[in-house]
PDB file of all heavy atoms in Angstrom:
ATOM      1  N   VAL A 236      80.623 156.000  63.564  1.00  0.00           N
ATOM      2  CA  VAL A 236      79.948 155.616  64.785  1.00  0.00           C
ATOM      3  C   VAL A 236      79.978 156.859  65.767  1.00  0.00           C
ATOM      4  O   VAL A 236      79.084 157.054  66.535  1.00  0.00           O
ATOM      5  CB  VAL A 236      80.516 154.400  65.377  1.00  0.00           C
ATOM      6  CG1 VAL A 236      80.011 154.119  66.783  1.00  0.00           C
ATOM      7  CG2 VAL A 236      80.191 153.205  64.466  1.00  0.00           C
ATOM      8  N   ALA A 237      81.097 157.651  65.718  1.00  0.00           N
ATOM      9  CA  ALA A 237      81.161 158.806  66.532  1.00  0.00           C
ATOM     10  C   ALA A 237      80.088 159.820  66.248  1.00  0.00           C
ATOM     11  O   ALA A 237      79.619 160.538  67.248  1.00  0.00           O
ATOM     12  CB  ALA A 237      82.513 159.473  66.406  1.00  0.00           C
ATOM     13  N   VAL A 238      79.622 159.818  65.024  1.00  0.00           N
ATOM     14  CA  VAL A 238      78.514 160.731  64.634  1.00  0.00           C
ATOM     15  C   VAL A 238      77.134 160.168  65.108  1.00  0.00           C
ATOM     16  O   VAL A 238      76.161 160.909  65.249  1.00  0.00           O
ATOM     17  CB  VAL A 238      78.474 160.960  63.179  1.00  0.00           C
ATOM     18  CG1 VAL A 238      77.453 162.106  62.747  1.00  0.00           C
ATOM     19  CG2 VAL A 238      79.862 161.465  62.691  1.00  0.00           C
ATOM     20  N   MET A 239      77.084 158.818  65.339  1.00  0.00           N
ATOM     21  CA  MET A 239      75.838 158.180  65.784  1.00  0.00           C
ATOM     22  C   MET A 239      75.764 158.400  67.306  1.00  0.00           C
ATOM     23  O   MET A 239      76.058 157.512  68.146  1.00  0.00           O
ATOM     24  CB  MET A 239      75.827 156.774  65.440  1.00  0.00           C
ATOM     25  CG  MET A 239      75.923 156.450  63.998  1.00  0.00           C
ATOM     26  SD  MET A 239      76.033 154.630  63.722  1.00  0.00           S
ATOM     27  CE  MET A 239      76.193 154.595  61.871  1.00  0.00           C
ATOM     28  N   ASP A 240      75.486 159.562  67.783  1.00  0.00           N
ATOM     29  CA  ASP A 240      75.600 160.041  69.101  1.00  0.00           C
ATOM     30  C   ASP A 240      74.305 159.919  69.960  1.00  0.00           C
ATOM     31  O   ASP A 240      74.210 160.367  71.075  1.00  0.00           O
ATOM     32  CB  ASP A 240      76.123 161.392  69.250  1.00  0.00           C
ATOM     33  CG  ASP A 240      75.359 162.450  68.512  1.00  0.00           C
ATOM     34  OD1 ASP A 240      74.248 162.062  67.951  1.00  0.00           O
ATOM     35  OD2 ASP A 240      75.744 163.583  68.472  1.00  0.00           O
ATOM     36  N   GLY A 241      73.300 159.310  69.422  1.00  0.00           N
ATOM     37  CA  GLY A 241      72.047 159.215  70.145  1.00  0.00           C
ATOM     38  C   GLY A 241      71.122 160.407  69.970  1.00  0.00           C
ATOM     39  O   GLY A 241      70.054 160.418  70.596  1.00  0.00           O
ATOM     40  N   THR A 242      71.520 161.402  69.177  1.00  0.00           N
ATOM     41  CA  THR A 242      70.711 162.641  68.967  1.00  0.00           C
ATOM     42  C   THR A 242      70.260 162.825  67.472  1.00  0.00           C
ATOM     43  O   THR A 242      69.422 163.599  67.193  1.00  0.00           O
ATOM     44  CB  THR A 242      71.423 163.858  69.452  1.00  0.00           C
ATOM     45  OG1 THR A 242      72.529 164.127  68.617  1.00  0.00           O
ATOM     46  CG2 THR A 242      71.854 163.668  70.897  1.00  0.00           C
ATOM     47  N   ARG A 243      71.005 162.223  66.553  1.00  0.00           N
ATOM     48  CA  ARG A 243      70.782 162.389  65.157  1.00  0.00           C
ATOM     49  C   ARG A 243      70.161 161.229  64.475  1.00  0.00           C
ATOM     50  O   ARG A 243      70.456 160.041  64.728  1.00  0.00           O
ATOM     51  CB  ARG A 243      72.051 162.699  64.441  1.00  0.00           C
ATOM     52  CG  ARG A 243      72.913 163.806  65.145  1.00  0.00           C
ATOM     53  CD  ARG A 243      74.117 164.114  64.203  1.00  0.00           C
ATOM     54  NE  ARG A 243      75.270 164.409  64.980  1.00  0.00           N
ATOM     55  CZ  ARG A 243      76.309 165.095  64.474  1.00  0.00           C
ATOM     56  NH1 ARG A 243      76.353 165.462  63.256  1.00  0.00           N
ATOM     57  NH2 ARG A 243      77.366 165.391  65.299  1.00  0.00           N
ATOM     58  N   GLU A 244      69.166 161.518  63.527  1.00  0.00           N
ATOM     59  CA  GLU A 244      68.707 160.467  62.734  1.00  0.00           C
ATOM     60  C   GLU A 244      69.770 160.071  61.754  1.00  0.00           C
ATOM     61  O   GLU A 244      70.716 160.813  61.411  1.00  0.00           O
ATOM     62  CB  GLU A 244      67.404 161.000  61.925  1.00  0.00           C
ATOM     63  CG  GLU A 244      66.245 161.375  62.771  1.00  0.00           C
ATOM     64  CD  GLU A 244      65.053 161.816  62.027  1.00  0.00           C
ATOM     65  OE1 GLU A 244      65.194 161.985  60.801  1.00  0.00           O
ATOM     66  OE2 GLU A 244      63.936 161.962  62.718  1.00  0.00           O
ATOM     67  N   LEU A 245      69.599 158.796  61.204  1.00  0.00           N
ATOM     68  CA  LEU A 245      70.718 158.298  60.355  1.00  0.00           C
ATOM     69  C   LEU A 245      70.800 159.083  59.029  1.00  0.00           C
ATOM     70  O   LEU A 245      71.916 159.201  58.528  1.00  0.00           O
ATOM     71  CB  LEU A 245      70.387 156.792  60.016  1.00  0.00           C
ATOM     72  CG  LEU A 245      70.650 155.787  61.112  1.00  0.00           C
ATOM     73  CD1 LEU A 245      70.205 154.373  60.672  1.00  0.00           C
ATOM     74  CD2 LEU A 245      72.087 155.867  61.532  1.00  0.00           C
ATOM     75  N   ARG A 246      69.776 159.746  58.622  1.00  0.00           N
ATOM     76  CA  ARG A 246      69.838 160.602  57.415  1.00  0.00           C
ATOM     77  C   ARG A 246      70.795 161.758  57.675  1.00  0.00           C
ATOM     78  O   ARG A 246      71.558 162.162  56.797  1.00  0.00           O
ATOM     79  CB  ARG A 246      68.536 160.969  56.850  1.00  0.00           C
ATOM     80  CG  ARG A 246      67.716 161.820  57.885  1.00  0.00           C
ATOM     81  CD  ARG A 246      66.528 162.540  57.248  1.00  0.00           C
ATOM     82  NE  ARG A 246      65.597 161.590  56.596  1.00  0.00           N
ATOM     83  CZ  ARG A 246      64.540 161.044  57.212  1.00  0.00           C
ATOM     84  NH1 ARG A 246      64.243 161.405  58.437  1.00  0.00           N
ATOM     85  NH2 ARG A 246      63.780 160.210  56.587  1.00  0.00           N
ATOM     86  N   ASP A 247      70.749 162.231  58.949  1.00  0.00           N
ATOM     87  CA  ASP A 247      71.629 163.432  59.292  1.00  0.00           C
ATOM     88  C   ASP A 247      73.068 162.900  59.533  1.00  0.00           C
ATOM     89  O   ASP A 247      74.030 163.619  59.285  1.00  0.00           O
ATOM     90  CB  ASP A 247      71.117 164.089  60.600  1.00  0.00           C
ATOM     91  CG  ASP A 247      69.736 164.661  60.372  1.00  0.00           C
ATOM     92  OD1 ASP A 247      69.457 165.194  59.208  1.00  0.00           O
ATOM     93  OD2 ASP A 247      68.878 164.641  61.283  1.00  0.00           O
ATOM     94  N   VAL A 248      73.217 161.682  60.063  1.00  0.00           N
ATOM     95  CA  VAL A 248      74.494 161.045  60.251  1.00  0.00           C
ATOM     96  C   VAL A 248      75.111 160.940  58.911  1.00  0.00           C
ATOM     97  O   VAL A 248      76.321 161.202  58.691  1.00  0.00           O
ATOM     98  CB  VAL A 248      74.359 159.627  60.931  1.00  0.00           C
ATOM     99  CG1 VAL A 248      75.644 158.921  60.839  1.00  0.00           C
ATOM    100  CG2 VAL A 248      73.927 159.796  62.385  1.00  0.00           C
ATOM    101  N   ALA A 249      74.378 160.445  57.873  1.00  0.00           N
ATOM    102  CA  ALA A 249      74.886 160.270  56.552  1.00  0.00           C
ATOM    103  C   ALA A 249      75.344 161.630  55.973  1.00  0.00           C
ATOM    104  O   ALA A 249      76.423 161.676  55.308  1.00  0.00           O
ATOM    105  CB  ALA A 249      73.884 159.661  55.631  1.00  0.00           C
ATOM    106  N   ALA A 250      74.578 162.631  56.153  1.00  0.00           N
ATOM    107  CA  ALA A 250      74.952 163.982  55.685  1.00  0.00           C
ATOM    108  C   ALA A 250      76.230 164.458  56.267  1.00  0.00           C
ATOM    109  O   ALA A 250      77.162 165.021  55.591  1.00  0.00           O
ATOM    110  CB  ALA A 250      73.824 164.941  55.872  1.00  0.00           C
TER     111      ALA A 250
END
Side-chain angles (χ1 to χ4, degrees):
V236 171
V238 186
M239 299 176 183
D240 58 4
T242 66
R243 309 186 213 198
E244 294 182 354
L245 285 177
R246 59 167 59 95
D247 298 324
V248 170

